[in-house]
Amino acid sequence: MSGDNRARLVALYGTMCRIRAFEETALAAHRAGEIPGPLHVSIGQEAVAAGVCLNLRTDDRITSNHRGHGHALAKGAGVAGMMEELFGRAGGHCRGKGGSMHIADFSVGMLGANGVVAGGIPIAVGAAQGLRMLGSSAIVCCFFGDGAINRGPFLEGLNWAALYRLPVLFVCEDNGVAAFTRAESVTAGPGVLARSEALGVPALSVDGNDAAAVDDAAARLVAEVRGGSGPRLLHAITYRLMGHTSTDPAAWRETGEVEAARSHEPLPRLRARLLAEGMPARALDAIEGDARAEMSQARGSALSAPWPDPATAWDDVQDNGAMTDDAWPFGAQETV
Amino acid sequence: MAQVTLVEACRLAALQEMRRDPRVWVLGEDVARGGLFGQYRGFLEEFGDQRVVSTPISESTIMGAGLGAALVGTRPIIEMRIFDFVMCAMDELVNQIAKIRYMFGGQARPAVVVRMPHGIWRNSAAQHSQTLESWFTHIPGVVVAVPATPADAAGLLVAAIRSDDPVLFFDPKNLFPVKGEVAETIAPIPFGQARRMREGSDLTIVTWSATVPAVEEAAGILAARGISADVLDLRTLWPWDEASVCASVARTRRLLVVHEAVTTGGFGAEVLARVVERLGPGAVRAAGRLGQPRVPVPFAPPLEDALKPDAPKVVAAAEALLKA
Ligand SMILES: Cc1ncc(C[n+]2csc(CCOP(=O)(O)OP(=O)(O)O)c2C)c(N)n1
């Protein structure tokens, strides 16, 4: 294996370890009552975010969904700002106004997670249209789940991107479930690949738990998109090891299902490959250890970080007509 | 100063802004052929198909793509064709556009204008005639513009296009043929400033958008009967010119709000409530609202006319208030 290739695999491993460590740390913090609100983790799906984003430039944009920590981290979003956002602190990327489901870091082209399934699709195609209008060579990558392909914006957005030959890479992260329901039980026809092709968006499927394969497929598709061939879709088949939210035990799964899935989850697979190719276990342990240390430090800092000043609840609504006296109730009967 | 129709005034305003700022562009169904009402006539020829984009009939994506394009630094005019179709793009408008700036802690300002020609128009019946502007005043994050004259429509559209915050621009489609003067260079009109249509002392009449001409006519009839109305066209509903309305009611002590929208839950209720909160109940001797009854807009002309607030209804409502 060439040094370049090895470096790519190591980079993938590093990103995946960081995503896993971030989410496990967040889950622990959530259980400890340090993080309010719902938390959707992508444990088991790290190879998709890592493999795709390794092929993106900083000025490329991404849109994400409710399960977006991995996408944000892989795109380069700052960890401290992400962790503080989960904790609802003033130093969060969104100053504590978004939380886990609405993380954005525009400084690295992360245009936002989304609380609405398929909500990022129209935004992504418009961003691509705008970038082209401005003469940019950046592209847009749009992550969504297999549940999103049954919403109208999927049809509209793919048709639109194909029609205007926009530089968009759609990534359908197929973890087999939509919230608490098996996606196949609510999806008619032959699935996302056929739907995409039918709308004029060439697509390919990949084993989304094989980081190197995702990287290869994404590299090819990103090159085509960047080269001006129009949109492409990557169908990444993966598995969500946890429930829908942090409080969902996913008890509806069949016995043995999760255990079986563990045997081909992406992190041990990539680790085995790196070991087989002569990478010392020590070095891999160090990468993992560094990731854990980074995230636990971020947790500690977030826990002691200041809460937002309640007065900032009025900030950033709109310039025109964000009336601070809106909450004024009775009493002072001023005459204007 | 040229005499032009309201729709032409809007066309001139958008034209001026697209010439001024290359980041401004328009997307929507049929805009390349001039738009449904001719409000983009000649734009394709001047600006090309990258900036004048006729889209598929995909309202969610017309709205959402406008947002996405704004997030990377362009300034789209999102054309909804007819207001009623925005129902197909409510997620993109309410959950996305209106929330982005706040929810992301000020990282982004979606500078979009959403144009939605609204109101009763040529017997178009229930799905092409609605006036639901009050819904949108309930949504933090957006400006709600409801002009009624060519000059106001042009000036507010210029302000909307230059605004860094999203602006919902309700073209009054029944007033598109109304003529008025528009300056050679159209200056932006600040949001939240009412236009005084008539000075008076017996009662205050507040209105906006489609009912402005009916109120104007009614005020003339009332004047002939010796009743002097102080008439304000709000022009924008968020922000709205609370100060001018309160100052007027403090003098007249009588308030009538007239809008084409259904009375129940209409913005007239908000106007009355705020006036009472600010001036105190004792300061207002009589107050009332005139809008459509809570009935879908029907098709047949006699049915439509029965519901529509017109000058005789305004006169009757004003006279009733004066007796109170
Ligand atoms: C429009 C909309 N409908 C329903 C929901 C509630 N919801 C949140 S996540 C989810 C499942 C989405 O499935 P998928 O996109 O496959 O992602 P997954 O959760 O499986 O990772 C649902 C139904 C929502 N957020 N938005």
Side-chain angles (χ1 to χ4, degrees):
Chain A
M1 168 165 99
S2 77
D4 266 8
N5 250 331
R6 160 88 67 95
R8 271 190 101 76
L9 293 182
V10 172
L12 287 170
Y13 192 69
T15 304
M16 288 160 64
C17 284
R18 290 178 74 237
I19 298 171
R20 178 70 60 98
F22 180 90
E23 293 197 315
E24 286 185 349
T25 304
L27 273 178
H30 194 269
R31 275 186 220 110
E34 296 165 12
I35 292 179
L39 200 60
H40 302 84
V41 295
S42 61
I43 290 173
Q45 306 179 196
E46 297 87 348
V48 183
V52 170
C53 290
L54 189 60
N55 293 283
L56 300 180
R57 311 190 312 220
T58 304
D59 68 337
D60 289 333
R61 313 298 207 272
I62 66 166
T63 63
S64 171
N65 61 0
H66 57 288
R67 209 175 294 288
H69 305 139
H71 310 141
L73 282 167
K75 189 65 176 64
V79 166
M82 282 185 63
M83 196 64 90
E84 280 204 45
E85 192 56 43
L86 263 56
F87 277 68
R89 304 305 164 111
H93 286 304
C94 307
R95 304 172 71 200
K97 286 172 171 167
S100 158
M101 217 171 4
H102 307 289
I103 282 193
D105 185 355
F106 278 62
S107 70
V108 296
M110 198 307 186
L111 302 187
N114 211 305
V116 177
V117 170
I121 297 177
I123 298 173
V125 302
Q129 207 157 4
L131 287 167
R132 180 159 74 194
M133 209 172 297
L134 297 170
S136 164
S137 63
I139 69 166
V140 181
C141 175
C142 173
F143 289 97
F144 51 87
D146 44 333
I149 71 165
N150 290 326
R151 283 209 62 233
F154 172 79
L155 180 142
E156 288 192 7
L158 265 68
N159 177 62
W160 187 290
L163 185 68
Y164 302 114
R165 286 177 77 84
L166 294 172
V168 184
L169 175 62
F170 297 102
V171 179
C172 177
E173 226 169 329
D174 181 354
N175 61 14
V177 280
F180 314 110
T181 300
R182 287 194 196 283
E184 64 179 16
S185 72
V186 288
T187 307
V192 65
L193 213 64
R195 288 187 190 183
S196 182
E197 297 273 358
L199 289 164
V201 180
L204 60 86
S205 283
V206 69
D207 176 353
N209 280 10
D210 179 346
V214 175
D215 177 26
D216 284 348
R220 203 179 109 196
L221 297 181
V222 165
E224 288 171 11
V225 170
R226 210 182 289 287
S229 306
R232 295 289 184 270
L233 183 140
L234 179 64
H235 172 219
I237 300 160
T238 179
Y239 187 84
R240 193 184 76 198
L241 287 166
M242 312 295 285
H244 175 49
T245 61
S246 47
T247 49
D248 166 30
W252 46 273
R253 299 191 202 204
E254 280 158 36
T255 18
E257 183 183 319
V258 181
E259 291 65 31
R262 287 236 176 246
S263 68
H264 51 89
E265 65 157 304
L267 267 160
R269 272 172 74 177
L270 183 55
R271 185 183 169 93
R273 173 154 177 196
L274 281 162
L275 287 172
E277 294 189 6
M279 182 95 179
R282 238 180 322 101
L284 296 172
D285 291 343
I287 291 172
E288 202 187 312
D290 286 352
R292 297 209 173 278
E294 179 191 10
M295 301 311 164
S296 103
Q297 203 249 323
R299 176 184 176 183
S301 307
L303 193 56
S304 57
W307 290 101
D309 177 347
T312 63
W314 276 264
D315 290 351
D316 288 318
V317 178
Q318 59 186 107
D319 283 353
N320 292 287
M323 294 170 53
T324 39
D325 75 331
D326 219 19
W328 169 80
F330 311 100
Q333 298 192 345
E334 49 183 312
T335 307
V336 207
Chain B
M1 290 265 179
Q3 280 275 335
V4 297
T5 60
L6 193 148
V7 70
E8 176 65 2
C10 289
R11 192 186 75 87
L12 293 172
L15 190 64
Q16 170 184 301
E17 293 309 295
M18 283 185 66
R19 284 177 179 159
R20 179 178 174 269
D21 185 346
R23 297 169 304 169
V24 179
W25 61 294
V26 55
L27 73 162
E29 295 153 20
D30 290 319
V31 296
R33 65 158 282 272
L36 188 59
F37 303 96
Q39 67 274 54
Y40 306 107
R41 191 169 36 79
F43 280 37
L44 177 69
E45 293 72 10
E46 179 163 348
F47 303 110
D49 65 3
Q50 294 291 300
R51 289 179 70 198
V52 184
V53 180
S54 270
T55 67
I57 306 163
S58 299
E59 282 74 14
S60 299
T61 301
I62 295 171
M63 191 72 84
L67 168 59
L71 294 183
V72 299
T74 72
R75 305 177 75 88
I77 300 172
I78 300 169
E79 174 59 57
M80 273 291 118
R81 186 184 193 103
I82 299 270
F83 162 75
D84 309 65
F85 308 145
V86 78
M87 309 306 160
C88 305
M90 280 305 224
D91 170 56
E92 289 70 21
L93 178 55
V94 180
N95 289 328
Q96 315 288 343
I97 287 176
K99 302 297 186 286
I100 289 246
R101 179 176 173 191
Y102 188 82
M103 191 169 74
F104 294 161
Q107 290 183 72
R109 313 253 327 245
V112 302
V113 182
V114 184
R115 289 186 69 178
M116 299 180 278
H118 77 162
I120 291 177
W121 175 68
R122 292 198 198 163
N123 303 100
S124 305
Q127 296 171 336
H128 289 67
S129 303
Q130 294 172 89
T131 27
L132 294 172
E133 69 275 9
S134 73
W135 283 10
F136 300 88
T137 65
H138 207 59
I139 301 165
V142 295
V143 169
V144 177
V146 284
T149 68
D152 286 351
L156 286 169
L157 188 54
V158 167
I161 294 169
R162 294 185 194 176
S163 162
D164 287 336
D165 286 322
V167 178
L168 311 186
F169 188 90
F170 291 85
D171 297 85
K173 66 183 186 293
N174 203 39
L175 306 184
F176 273 156
V178 168
K179 283 195 167 173
E181 299 215 314
V182 171
E184 187 107 17
T185 303
I186 301 161
I189 294 175
F191 302 131
Q193 292 185 8
R195 175 177 64 97
R196 175 160 274 106
M197 292 161 57
R198 185 184 270 267
E199 192 111 35
S201 53
D202 295 331
L203 84 160
T204 302
I205 307 182
V206 172
T207 189
W208 55 86
S209 194
T211 43
V212 163
V215 169
E216 199 148 36
E217 188 189 337
I221 297 168
L222 289 167
R225 296 181 190 174
I227 299 165
S228 99
D230 202 43
V231 185
L232 293 167
D233 170 4
L234 287 184
R235 305 199 289 189
T236 60
L237 297 187
W238 198 268
W240 68 280
D241 195 347
E242 219 177 281
S244 295
V245 173
C246 287
S248 172
V249 179
R251 281 191 292 110
T252 65
R253 307 188 65 196
R254 288 185 159 85
L255 171 63
L256 174 65
V257 186
V258 180
H259 52 60
E260 189 178 276
V262 165
T263 306
T264 306
F267 198 70
E270 177 71 15
V271 173
L272 256 63
R274 277 303 265 192
V275 166
V276 171
E277 279 176 352
R278 289 192 66 155
L279 300 183
V284 186
R285 283 177 59 183
R289 295 170 289 159
L290 174 66
Q292 283 181 65
R294 198 168 172 283
V295 168
V297 176
F299 165 64
L303 300 178
E304 192 189 81
D305 290 346
L307 305 185
K308 196 173 166 174
D310 56 11
K313 290 184 188 125
V314 177
V315 170
E319 288 182 334
L321 266 191
L322 284 161
K323 284 185 201 114

mmCIF file of all heavy atoms in Angstrom, chain A residues 255-278:
data_model
loop_
_atom_site.group_PDB
_atom_site.id
_atom_site.type_symbol
_atom_site.label_atom_id
_atom_site.label_comp_id
_atom_site.label_asym_id
_atom_site.label_seq_id
_atom_site.Cartn_x
_atom_site.Cartn_y
_atom_site.Cartn_z
ATOM 1 N N THR A 255 -33.736 -10.125 18.396
ATOM 2 C CA THR A 255 -32.603 -10.573 19.225
ATOM 3 C C THR A 255 -31.446 -10.957 18.313
ATOM 4 O O THR A 255 -31.627 -11.596 17.286
ATOM 5 C CB THR A 255 -32.985 -11.812 20.088
ATOM 6 O OG1 THR A 255 -34.163 -12.402 19.541
ATOM 7 C CG2 THR A 255 -33.161 -11.453 21.538
ATOM 8 N N GLY A 256 -30.276 -10.536 18.731
ATOM 9 C CA GLY A 256 -29.088 -10.901 17.969
ATOM 10 C C GLY A 256 -28.768 -9.945 16.836
ATOM 11 O O GLY A 256 -27.668 -9.950 16.305
ATOM 12 N N GLU A 257 -29.733 -9.095 16.481
ATOM 13 C CA GLU A 257 -29.530 -8.199 15.331
ATOM 14 C C GLU A 257 -28.348 -7.249 15.565
ATOM 15 O O GLU A 257 -27.462 -7.131 14.719
ATOM 16 C CB GLU A 257 -30.819 -7.405 15.083
ATOM 17 C CG GLU A 257 -30.735 -6.501 13.879
ATOM 18 C CD GLU A 257 -32.004 -5.661 13.672
ATOM 19 O OE1 GLU A 257 -33.119 -6.192 13.852
ATOM 20 O OE2 GLU A 257 -31.851 -4.463 13.343
ATOM 21 N N VAL A 258 -28.367 -6.620 16.717
ATOM 22 C CA VAL A 258 -27.317 -5.638 16.993
ATOM 23 C C VAL A 258 -25.962 -6.319 17.150
ATOM 24 O O VAL A 258 -24.947 -5.843 16.635
ATOM 25 C CB VAL A 258 -27.673 -4.806 18.240
ATOM 26 C CG1 VAL A 258 -26.595 -3.774 18.525
ATOM 27 C CG2 VAL A 258 -29.018 -4.117 18.043
ATOM 28 N N GLU A 259 -25.969 -7.475 17.828
ATOM 29 C CA GLU A 259 -24.714 -8.220 18.009
ATOM 30 C C GLU A 259 -24.127 -8.576 16.640
ATOM 31 O O GLU A 259 -22.934 -8.432 16.405
ATOM 32 C CB GLU A 259 -24.951 -9.495 18.833
ATOM 33 C CG GLU A 259 -25.290 -9.250 20.306
ATOM 34 C CD GLU A 259 -26.633 -8.531 20.518
ATOM 35 O OE1 GLU A 259 -27.568 -8.719 19.699
ATOM 36 O OE2 GLU A 259 -26.725 -7.751 21.486
ATOM 37 N N ALA A 260 -25.002 -9.038 15.752
ATOM 38 C CA ALA A 260 -24.539 -9.402 14.405
ATOM 39 C C ALA A 260 -23.971 -8.176 13.704
ATOM 40 O O ALA A 260 -22.921 -8.246 13.050
ATOM 41 C CB ALA A 260 -25.691 -9.988 13.598
ATOM 42 N N ALA A 261 -24.642 -7.062 13.876
ATOM 43 C CA ALA A 261 -24.185 -5.841 13.213
ATOM 44 C C ALA A 261 -22.825 -5.405 13.754
ATOM 45 O O ALA A 261 -21.990 -4.877 13.023
ATOM 46 C CB ALA A 261 -25.213 -4.733 13.410
ATOM 47 N N ARG A 262 -22.607 -5.643 15.025
ATOM 48 C CA ARG A 262 -21.324 -5.244 15.635
ATOM 49 C C ARG A 262 -20.140 -5.885 14.927
ATOM 50 O O ARG A 262 -19.045 -5.334 14.914
ATOM 51 C CB ARG A 262 -21.294 -5.642 17.114
ATOM 52 C CG ARG A 262 -22.193 -4.772 17.977
ATOM 53 C CD ARG A 262 -21.406 -4.111 19.115
ATOM 54 N NE ARG A 262 -22.272 -3.209 19.861
ATOM 55 C CZ ARG A 262 -22.119 -1.877 19.906
ATOM 56 N NH1 ARG A 262 -21.120 -1.295 19.263
ATOM 57 N NH2 ARG A 262 -22.958 -1.134 20.588
ATOM 58 N N SER A 263 -20.385 -7.088 14.367
ATOM 59 C CA SER A 263 -19.262 -7.797 13.751
ATOM 60 C C SER A 263 -18.798 -7.111 12.467
ATOM 61 O O SER A 263 -17.720 -7.396 11.985
ATOM 62 C CB SER A 263 -19.648 -9.247 13.472
ATOM 63 O OG SER A 263 -20.633 -9.272 12.452
ATOM 64 N N HIS A 264 -19.606 -6.256 11.907
ATOM 65 C CA HIS A 264 -19.070 -5.521 10.742
ATOM 66 C C HIS A 264 -19.225 -4.010 10.880
ATOM 67 O O HIS A 264 -19.443 -3.295 9.916
ATOM 68 C CB HIS A 264 -19.650 -6.040 9.421
ATOM 69 C CG HIS A 264 -21.137 -6.145 9.370
ATOM 70 N ND1 HIS A 264 -21.922 -5.118 8.975
ATOM 71 C CD2 HIS A 264 -21.958 -7.172 9.689
ATOM 72 C CE1 HIS A 264 -23.196 -5.491 9.042
ATOM 73 N NE2 HIS A 264 -23.241 -6.738 9.478
ATOM 74 N N GLU A 265 -19.133 -3.542 12.091
ATOM 75 C CA GLU A 265 -19.185 -2.086 12.249
ATOM 76 C C GLU A 265 -17.868 -1.461 11.764
ATOM 77 O O GLU A 265 -16.830 -2.113 11.731
ATOM 78 C CB GLU A 265 -19.536 -1.703 13.689
ATOM 79 C CG GLU A 265 -18.522 -2.094 14.730
ATOM 80 C CD GLU A 265 -18.645 -1.219 15.959
ATOM 81 O OE1 GLU A 265 -18.558 0.006 15.783
ATOM 82 O OE2 GLU A 265 -18.801 -1.763 17.064
ATOM 83 N N PRO A 266 -17.933 -0.212 11.387
ATOM 84 C CA PRO A 266 -16.829 0.367 10.611
ATOM 85 C C PRO A 266 -15.497 0.552 11.348
ATOM 86 O O PRO A 266 -14.445 0.360 10.753
ATOM 87 C CB PRO A 266 -17.377 1.726 10.175
ATOM 88 C CG PRO A 266 -18.499 2.026 11.099
ATOM 89 C CD PRO A 266 -19.068 0.712 11.507
ATOM 90 N N LEU A 267 -15.529 0.901 12.605
ATOM 91 C CA LEU A 267 -14.248 1.188 13.272
ATOM 92 C C LEU A 267 -13.353 -0.040 13.399
ATOM 93 O O LEU A 267 -12.195 0.011 12.961
ATOM 94 C CB LEU A 267 -14.504 1.848 14.630
ATOM 95 C CG LEU A 267 -14.507 3.378 14.550
ATOM 96 C CD1 LEU A 267 -15.227 4.006 15.734
ATOM 97 C CD2 LEU A 267 -13.081 3.900 14.465
ATOM 98 N N PRO A 268 -13.846 -1.162 13.969
ATOM 99 C CA PRO A 268 -12.985 -2.345 14.044
ATOM 100 C C PRO A 268 -12.544 -2.828 12.660
ATOM 101 O O PRO A 268 -11.421 -3.315 12.513
ATOM 102 C CB PRO A 268 -13.879 -3.398 14.709
ATOM 103 C CG PRO A 268 -14.948 -2.637 15.402
ATOM 104 C CD PRO A 268 -15.136 -1.375 14.629
ATOM 105 N N ARG A 269 -13.400 -2.635 11.668
ATOM 106 C CA ARG A 269 -13.013 -3.081 10.322
ATOM 107 C C ARG A 269 -11.821 -2.299 9.800
ATOM 108 O O ARG A 269 -10.874 -2.867 9.256
ATOM 109 C CB ARG A 269 -14.189 -2.921 9.357
ATOM 110 C CG ARG A 269 -15.074 -4.141 9.345
ATOM 111 C CD ARG A 269 -16.319 -3.920 8.550
ATOM 112 N NE ARG A 269 -16.082 -3.928 7.099
ATOM 113 C CZ ARG A 269 -17.063 -3.799 6.212
ATOM 114 N NH1 ARG A 269 -18.305 -3.649 6.618
ATOM 115 N NH2 ARG A 269 -16.801 -3.829 4.932
ATOM 116 N N LEU A 270 -11.883 -1.009 9.980
ATOM 117 C CA LEU A 270 -10.776 -0.185 9.486
ATOM 118 C C LEU A 270 -9.515 -0.455 10.302
ATOM 119 O O LEU A 270 -8.397 -0.522 9.770
ATOM 120 C CB LEU A 270 -11.158 1.298 9.547
ATOM 121 C CG LEU A 270 -10.125 2.270 8.989
ATOM 122 C CD1 LEU A 270 -9.730 1.918 7.555
ATOM 123 C CD2 LEU A 270 -10.658 3.699 9.040
ATOM 124 N N ARG A 271 -9.722 -0.675 11.584
ATOM 125 C CA ARG A 271 -8.583 -0.960 12.454
ATOM 126 C C ARG A 271 -7.900 -2.270 12.019
ATOM 127 O O ARG A 271 -6.672 -2.327 11.880
ATOM 128 C CB ARG A 271 -9.068 -1.070 13.903
ATOM 129 C CG ARG A 271 -7.951 -1.242 14.903
ATOM 130 C CD ARG A 271 -8.503 -1.412 16.327
ATOM 131 N NE ARG A 271 -7.427 -1.836 17.207
ATOM 132 C CZ ARG A 271 -6.683 -1.005 17.916
ATOM 133 N NH1 ARG A 271 -6.918 0.295 17.880
ATOM 134 N NH2 ARG A 271 -5.705 -1.459 18.673
ATOM 135 N N ALA A 272 -8.723 -3.285 11.750
ATOM 136 C CA ALA A 272 -8.172 -4.574 11.319
ATOM 137 C C ALA A 272 -7.388 -4.401 10.021
ATOM 138 O O ALA A 272 -6.304 -4.967 9.843
ATOM 139 C CB ALA A 272 -9.297 -5.584 11.133
ATOM 140 N N ARG A 273 -7.935 -3.586 9.135
ATOM 141 C CA ARG A 273 -7.246 -3.396 7.860
ATOM 142 C C ARG A 273 -5.901 -2.698 8.062
ATOM 143 O O ARG A 273 -4.889 -3.084 7.471
ATOM 144 C CB ARG A 273 -8.143 -2.588 6.934
ATOM 145 C CG ARG A 273 -7.432 -2.222 5.665
ATOM 146 C CD ARG A 273 -8.352 -1.989 4.513
ATOM 147 N NE ARG A 273 -7.529 -1.568 3.372
ATOM 148 C CZ ARG A 273 -8.013 -0.992 2.301
ATOM 149 N NH1 ARG A 273 -9.315 -0.787 2.210
ATOM 150 N NH2 ARG A 273 -7.213 -0.639 1.320
ATOM 151 N N LEU A 274 -5.913 -1.694 8.909
ATOM 152 C CA LEU A 274 -4.662 -0.966 9.158
ATOM 153 C C LEU A 274 -3.634 -1.869 9.833
ATOM 154 O O LEU A 274 -2.438 -1.819 9.500
ATOM 155 C CB LEU A 274 -4.938 0.278 10.003
ATOM 156 C CG LEU A 274 -5.506 1.462 9.215
ATOM 157 C CD1 LEU A 274 -6.166 2.478 10.138
ATOM 158 C CD2 LEU A 274 -4.402 2.146 8.398
ATOM 159 N N LEU A 275 -4.086 -2.713 10.748
ATOM 160 C CA LEU A 275 -3.174 -3.649 11.421
ATOM 161 C C LEU A 275 -2.600 -4.625 10.401
ATOM 162 O O LEU A 275 -1.381 -4.873 10.371
ATOM 163 C CB LEU A 275 -3.916 -4.418 12.527
ATOM 164 C CG LEU A 275 -4.260 -3.626 13.792
ATOM 165 C CD1 LEU A 275 -5.162 -4.449 14.717
ATOM 166 C CD2 LEU A 275 -2.980 -3.210 14.540
ATOM 167 N N ALA A 276 -3.474 -5.142 9.545
ATOM 168 C CA ALA A 276 -3.030 -6.108 8.540
ATOM 169 C C ALA A 276 -2.011 -5.482 7.605
ATOM 170 O O ALA A 276 -1.140 -6.165 7.065
ATOM 171 C CB ALA A 276 -4.229 -6.613 7.744
ATOM 172 N N GLU A 277 -2.125 -4.196 7.433
ATOM 173 C CA GLU A 277 -1.182 -3.534 6.537
ATOM 174 C C GLU A 277 0.047 -3.014 7.270
ATOM 175 O O GLU A 277 0.798 -2.204 6.734
ATOM 176 C CB GLU A 277 -1.903 -2.422 5.772
ATOM 177 C CG GLU A 277 -2.939 -3.045 4.848
ATOM 178 C CD GLU A 277 -3.573 -2.070 3.897
ATOM 179 O OE1 GLU A 277 -3.127 -0.918 3.861
ATOM 180 O OE2 GLU A 277 -4.514 -2.475 3.190
ATOM 181 N N GLY A 278 0.200 -3.464 8.505
ATOM 182 C CA GLY A 278 1.451 -3.203 9.196
ATOM 183 C C GLY A 278 1.465 -2.006 10.117
ATOM 184 O O GLY A 278 2.506 -1.639 10.668
#
